Amino acid sequence: MAIEMTYGNFFLLSLFYFWASSTSLSLGIGYYTVYRPIIAGMVTGLILKDVQTGMQAGALINIIYIDFVSTGGSFKGDQCLTAIIAATAAILFSLDPIEAAAIAFPFGFLGILIWKYRLKINNIFVRIYEKKYRENKFSDICIYNGLLPQLLLYLMSFAVIVTAFFLMFLFCNLLIYSDKVTNILYYVGMTLVVFSAFNILFKLRNKKNFIIFASFFIVTILFSLRAYQLFIVLLIILSFISDYKIFAGYNNQKNRIIRKRDLVYSWFIWKNFSHSCYSYERLMGMAFAHSMKNIFKRLYSDRDTVRKAIHSHTEFFNTEPNMGTPIHGYIISLEEERKLKNESFEEGNISYIKKSMMGIAAGLGDSFTQVVLTPLYISMSLMLCLDGSYYLSLLPVALLALNIIFISYKGFMKGYYHGRDSLMERIKAVKNSKIKKYFPFMFSAILGSTMGNLLYPAVVENILTKIIIILVILLTFIVQTKRFPGPNSNL
Amino acid sequence: MKKVVLLRIDDRLLHGQVVVSWIHFLKVNEVIITDDEYARDEFMCQLIEASAPENIAVQVLTVYDTVSYLMGEDEGSRILILCKNIETVKNLVEKVEIDTINLGGLGAAQGRKRFHNSIHLSDEEINILKDIARKNVNVEVKMLPKDKAVVINGN
């Protein structure tokens, strides 16, 4: 063992795992950056002082999870924990990243426990809050939506990561020094990664995508197309087809009671805590109320009114936290209106408006941010990383984070200044999105090149493997063309 | 009478991937959202129609209009009906023939208790569903087509 793991390192890793998997306290972009295996692997590498190995292991895990979409908190495995375990195993036991990925893969199911129970456990905080509210006791939404759920989550993450590390060390110490085992692990890891990539490709269900994938795969292997070359081309294409309407600005009309900085602060709270107290009972309801706290403080001076107003927003709420922000802006403007007209909280239909808009924004939002933007940018990052451009591979992730921030911020402000039409505008923009339209083609090209780069070393050494791989690709291609007669991209 | 392949109860109505997976699975080509409140709200109708998946005809109708629409001639369309409250379903089932009612997602609210995963129901709502089940309608909780169904029967 070249590097020893200290208690300090372990503490840092547990803290990182908590922070990344909580997706809170990271301006809402944690879920798109630090939670992703490539970045989780990189941070693990930073802590254990071998960034490259960490990133490679993370990137391999990321291929397995590239089509990951979470709707309503249900998904197949915890990619962040898997990446941390893979990176640690690769660095501490000097394993090949592919072998480490094979060891780490089952740990994804351990991490899922947190998400499974988190939604149940958070019900408790909702109930305590409700009880305190009914009894007229001190009931600050910050504590029940922010502090307590996060503290509990840290304890849960800590327990999970201790268990995971214990099992991983046990396994590695027992088996790793046998060449046979590492050989098997190598093939298991390779199969996992290749299988995942092909599986994703088949899900795109279109023969054009398959042609693109196969051509980029072959070009990468035969002419050693470099990842950064393809990346530059893709950036140029993206700069031509970016969907300005989704990010379109707003007219800064005159503010009445609520000031611009109140809006920014409310947005900031929403972004940081949207999933902090995510529960089956309310989903993001507590978070919505949390983000309204400073707005009500501005609107009303009476403490009791503020308390009631905040409580009225704790009801069930669920949407896509970035695409859905016009709802927040619009609701804030309605609350301001209500104050100006001196209406009580029982009047009006704010709750109806929230509930009717949230579902639409959720479906459409997920189908864009999680299904299109995330795999597009993250896959570019993987392609660069696996080709050795480590620094450059951070650029797509940064671009993704910027996209997400812009989408949520602009939507929030637009909702406030332009009202409910801003949501309609957004829906139309997403439906006509060019990025969404061309995404399958770009994604297939990236995937083809990534797989080409990954299999390249195995191929150059041996002409026979080269022929076999190309034959397999051609064969699958012929089978695929027969299976999918025409373009079919409803998703 | 037109063919209704499924009636789904879901707060979120036309909710992205969840609904799309059902549409693929049942080969649906028409979606009717039955909700008196929404049908009278012009903005909501526009919003829902704008967010409809490609190649699927979506309409927002009141219970009354849904019934008269379904009574029309069958032109081979396969219809999915989406509702967000159980009262609406009760009114619909009294007037049109429906084989299967699917509970997809109902959030917590005053008086509701957790029934199964993300399905919350009040005692009254459970009774309505049981009444419906007694009329030989298949009532089940099923989030996605591949999930295991939890059947609500009349007893």
Side-chain angles (χ1 to χ4, degrees):
Chain A
M1 241 192 271
I3 303 154
E4 290 279 344
M5 176 116 150
T6 63
Y7 285 108
N9 284 343
F10 179 72
F11 176 69
L12 281 177
L13 279 175
S14 77
L15 213 57
F16 171 73
Y17 174 56
F18 152 72
W19 182 55
S21 71
S22 133
T23 69
S24 299
L25 308 162
S26 49
L27 206 59
I29 53 171
Y31 178 67
Y32 299 93
T33 55
V34 282
Y35 185 66
R36 302 290 153 176
I38 181 163
I39 303 297
M42 184 190 82
V43 176
T44 311
L46 275 172
I47 293 171
L48 299 173
K49 297 180 190 66
D50 184 352
V51 184
Q52 288 190 3
T53 313
M55 266 180 115
Q56 277 175 358
L60 287 167
I61 294 292
N62 216 150
I63 294 181
I64 301 172
Y65 283 98
I66 191 77
D67 63 338
F68 164 88
V69 175
S70 138
T71 43
S74 57
F75 43 81
K76 61 177 179 182
D78 185 345
Q79 45 182 333
C80 185
L81 180 69
T82 320
I84 294 175
I85 295 293
T88 316
I91 295 167
L92 294 189
F93 295 92
S94 351
L95 291 172
D96 188 289
I98 292 179
E99 294 159 13
I103 294 174
F105 183 68
F107 288 94
F109 306 108
L110 186 68
I112 200 102
L113 288 178
I114 289 194
W115 271 97
K116 212 171 164 183
Y117 291 104
R118 195 174 149 184
L119 274 92
K120 281 185 190 164
I121 289 175
N122 283 341
N123 281 341
I124 298 168
F125 299 114
V126 176
R127 285 192 198 126
I128 300 174
Y129 170 78
E130 285 292 336
K131 193 165 166 263
K132 295 252 173 172
Y133 176 79
R134 257 181 282 124
E135 290 165 357
N136 265 326
K137 279 186 196 151
F138 172 76
S139 55
D140 193 338
I141 189 82
C142 304
I143 294 172
Y144 298 102
N145 182 55
L147 184 68
L148 294 178
Q150 290 301 307
L151 268 178
L152 182 77
L153 186 64
Y154 177 68
L155 294 178
M156 283 163 74
S157 314
F158 189 78
V160 163
I161 206 163
V162 166
T163 320
F165 269 103
F166 176 73
L167 292 173
M168 188 261 288
F169 275 93
L170 201 69
F171 183 79
C172 288
N173 280 321
L174 280 177
L175 298 170
I176 232 57
Y177 298 105
S178 143
D179 279 349
K180 256 187 198 154
V181 176
T182 42
N183 250 333
I184 294 170
L185 281 174
Y186 184 86
Y187 287 111
V188 170
M190 215 43 169
T191 318
L192 259 176
V193 173
V194 174
F195 176 77
S196 309
F198 274 85
N199 198 23
I200 295 156
L201 196 65
F202 292 155
K203 275 190 192 159
L204 292 172
R205 285 176 180 232
N206 188 326
K207 73 178 176 195
K208 268 190 212 154
N209 297 329
F210 208 86
I211 297 173
I212 295 173
F213 174 86
S215 12
F216 275 87
F217 182 85
I218 292 168
V219 166
T220 307
I221 284 190
L222 293 185
F223 307 106
S224 57
L225 171 79
R226 294 298 304 272
Y228 72 88
Q229 293 164 332
L230 182 56
F231 177 59
I232 291 168
V233 174
L234 285 168
L235 275 188
I236 294 168
I237 295 175
L238 276 175
S239 70
F240 279 109
I241 62 169
S242 55
D243 304 308
Y244 294 109
K245 277 212 164 147
I246 298 171
F247 310 99
Y250 49 91
N251 300 327
N252 238 332
Q253 284 146 348
K254 221 178 150 193
N255 293 49
R256 288 177 293 186
I257 312 173
I258 292 159
R259 296 176 203 173
K260 182 75 184 275
R261 63 161 184 259
D262 298 328
L263 291 174
V264 176
Y265 187 73
S266 174
W267 169 78
F268 180 78
I269 294 289
W270 169 251
K271 286 296 280 172
N272 273 319
F273 294 100
S274 67
H275 285 73
S276 177
C277 186
Y278 202 55
S279 67
Y280 277 123
E281 216 178 294
R282 304 280 171 97
L283 291 176
M284 304 167 185
M286 297 288 273
F288 197 101
H290 191 177
S291 74
M292 293 298 282
K293 186 182 166 190
N294 75 310
I295 299 290
F296 285 125
K297 274 187 161 171
R298 171 72 66 202
L299 290 177
Y300 303 99
S301 46
D302 173 32
R303 255 190 79 181
D304 207 48
T305 320
V306 172
R307 222 168 73 95
K308 269 190 193 144
I310 293 172
H311 181 257
S312 75
H313 277 285
T314 54
E315 60 178 357
F316 182 86
F317 184 79
N318 190 32
T319 194
E320 204 280 334
N322 308 298
M323 292 298 277
T325 46
I327 302 174
H328 290 72
Y330 179 48
I331 294 296
I332 290 172
S333 75
L334 289 179
E335 286 289 359
E336 188 181 35
E337 191 87 23
R338 175 137 85 174
K339 157 78 185 176
L340 287 167
K341 283 185 184 161
N342 257 327
E343 286 176 346
S344 80
F345 293 111
E346 284 74 36
E347 284 173 60
N349 51 358
I350 286 187
S351 163
Y352 162 76
I353 292 167
K354 261 166 78 178
K355 286 206 165 122
S356 56
M357 284 180 160
M358 67 186 194
I360 292 170
L364 217 81
D366 283 336
S367 78
F368 189 65
T369 54
Q370 288 203 71
V371 178
V372 173
L373 287 185
T374 312
L376 178 64
Y377 285 102
I378 296 287
S379 63
M380 285 199 260
S381 175
L382 300 183
M383 172 179 77
L384 291 164
C385 173
L386 292 171
D387 191 31
S389 313
Y390 297 102
Y391 287 109
L392 200 59
S393 70
L394 296 178
L395 186 61
V397 181
L399 285 174
L400 174 65
L402 275 177
N403 268 306
I404 297 296
I405 287 197
F406 264 101
I407 288 175
S408 75
Y409 181 80
K410 296 271 180 179
F412 202 99
M413 297 302 159
K414 222 172 170 186
Y416 177 78
Y417 290 113
H418 296 198
R420 63 183 191 180
D421 291 332
S422 52
L423 187 65
M424 180 71 106
E425 199 177 291
R426 197 159 247 204
I427 286 169
K428 286 186 178 153
V430 170
K431 278 206 91 178
N432 302 322
S433 158
K434 284 191 186 128
I435 294 185
K436 196 174 175 175
K437 192 174 160 196
Y438 297 118
F439 160 73
F441 307 136
M442 294 190 274
F443 188 58
S444 316
I446 298 168
L447 215 56
S449 179
T450 312
M451 294 317 289
N453 269 322
L454 193 66
L455 298 174
Y456 187 69
V459 178
V460 234
E461 282 166 20
N462 193 335
I463 292 180
L464 193 66
T465 19
K466 205 181 223 167
I467 295 165
I468 290 174
I469 284 181
I470 290 174
L471 276 180
V472 167
I473 294 260
L474 286 176
L475 198 72
T476 355
F477 171 60
I478 294 163
V479 174
Q480 288 305 317
T481 354
K482 285 193 178 147
R483 246 175 67 190
F484 306 122
N488 172 16
S489 47
N490 261 328
L491 272 167
Chain B
M1 192 176 145
K2 291 181 194 285
K3 170 92 181 150
V4 177
V5 286
L6 185 77
L7 188 156
R8 180 176 166 92
I9 311 173
D10 193 327
D11 281 337
R12 301 158 296 181
L13 296 172
L14 201 58
H15 171 260
Q17 295 180 317
V18 176
V19 173
V20 169
S21 64
W22 279 103
I23 286 175
H24 280 307
F25 183 70
L26 296 171
K27 301 195 169 53
V28 169
N29 53 17
E30 239 186 279
V31 174
I32 298 175
I33 289 164
T34 307
D35 194 273
D36 289 355
E37 210 174 3
Y38 281 3
R40 293 186 189 115
D41 183 339
E42 206 185 313
F43 180 73
M44 273 316 292
C45 294
Q46 283 175 16
L47 208 58
I48 290 170
E49 277 155 25
S51 65
E54 275 168 58
N55 310 324
I56 305 287
V58 176
Q59 323 180 53
V60 187
L61 299 175
T62 58
V63 175
Y64 182 83
D65 289 343
T66 310
V67 174
S68 49
Y69 179 77
L70 290 177
M71 288 306 175
E73 204 180 318
D74 186 3
E75 287 153 349
S77 51
R78 295 174 64 82
I79 300 172
L80 167 71
I81 299 182
L82 295 168
C83 298
K84 72 176 162 63
N85 62 54
I86 290 174
E87 201 63 33
T88 314
V89 177
K90 189 184 153 195
N91 295 336
L92 263 181
V93 173
E94 280 170 7
K95 294 179 188 101
V96 291
E97 209 175 293
I98 284 157
D99 305 330
T100 309
I101 293 179
N102 165 280
L103 279 82
L106 285 163
Q110 200 98 51
R112 273 187 184 168
K113 267 183 262 162
R114 184 145 171 245
F115 181 77
H116 182 78
N117 282 344
S118 57
I119 306 290
H120 298 76
L121 293 167
S122 69
D123 292 341
E124 199 191 335
E125 286 168 332
I126 292 177
N127 285 332
I128 294 176
L129 288 173
K130 282 185 174 171
D131 279 343
I132 294 172
R134 273 186 218 114
K135 293 174 190 159
N136 276 332
V137 179
N138 188 13
V139 183
E140 58 189 27
V141 177
K142 208 173 178 186
M143 176 88 162
L144 291 166
K146 61 169 197 256
D147 289 349
K148 216 179 150 218
V150 176
V151 179
I152 298 177
N153 48 33
N155 321 311

